[in-house]
Amino acid sequence: MPELPAPRIRAARPEDDGELALLDRLTWSPLHAVMPEPRPPYPPFFSERHSPEDCLVAELDGRLAGYVHLGFPTPLDSNRHVRQIQGLAVAEGARGRGVGRALVRAAVEEARLRGARRVTLRVLGHNTPARALYAAEGFTVEGILPEEFLLDGTYVDDVFMGRFL
């Protein structure tokens, strides 16, 4: 069986905004989203909180296949040594091809290059595939906020994970 090409990871560019915004809407799911399903008018993908410099994208077959946001968990100087994965999405047609894993690895490496000592993230307790991916990439559960979110009538845990670099 021929090996599928690996995703190409690159820094996001301002001109990726429209395509990333569409990808974000297409990948919305109650499995990982705490915000309501997006409705028009749709906001731009990049914002004051997440600029292109804070985003890595994956390309497969010359098309955007996913993204990861890497930001600061707080605005405090005393917390600047920590980076946080603040969003990860993979296009439906690209799942199972290593895109999510490549994005997580790239985010960890980018955090390291930016001088971070730790990378953290938050994931919903029922998002078993994401939790397994993060655990396989060295993240451990550091805390659980039980029933932190009420989603579609069900209380869902918020799981805090992290790893040292």
Side-chain angles (χ1 to χ4, degrees):
M1 184 174 207
E3 194 171 311
L4 295 171
R8 177 179 166 263
I9 307 297
R10 65 168 173 81
R13 299 184 288 255
E15 57 269 22
D16 294 326
D17 187 272
E19 196 171 353
L20 286 168
L22 177 60
L23 176 65
D24 207 37
R25 291 191 302 272
L26 292 174
T27 57
W28 183 93
S29 166
L31 185 63
H32 59 78
V34 295
M35 300 295 289
E37 187 169 4
R39 301 272 184 241
Y42 300 117
F45 184 78
F46 296 119
S47 65
E48 192 173 288
R49 183 171 179 233
H50 291 120
S51 67
E53 298 81 40
D54 300 326
C55 186
L56 299 171
V57 299
E59 293 180 334
L60 268 180
D61 308 321
R63 301 186 63 178
L64 285 182
Y67 73 83
V68 62
H69 279 297
L70 187 64
F72 290 104
T74 74
L76 303 171
D77 284 341
S78 59
N79 190 231
R80 303 297 277 181
H81 63 284
V82 179
R83 293 296 190 283
Q84 186 174 60
I85 292 175
Q86 297 177 336
L88 174 72
V90 176
E92 184 70 35
R95 293 187 183 152
R97 295 186 59 187
V99 174
R101 185 172 309 280
L103 285 165
V104 170
R105 288 179 178 174
V108 167
E109 183 56 28
E110 185 66 23
R112 184 179 281 116
L113 291 172
R114 293 182 185 196
R117 296 189 66 229
R118 286 177 33 81
V119 177
T120 62
L121 59 89
R122 294 169 66 173
V123 60
L124 294 176
H126 65 238
N127 192 343
T128 306
R131 290 180 65 181
L133 169 62
Y134 298 136
E137 291 302 316
F139 288 83
T140 59
V141 173
E142 296 181 344
I144 298 175
L145 298 173
E147 299 184 359
E148 186 71 3
F149 297 103
L150 178 61
L151 304 173
D152 287 340
T154 302
Y155 290 99
V156 179
D157 296 347
D158 187 15
V159 180
F160 189 83
M161 300 180 80
R163 66 168 277 186
F164 285 94
L165 301 179

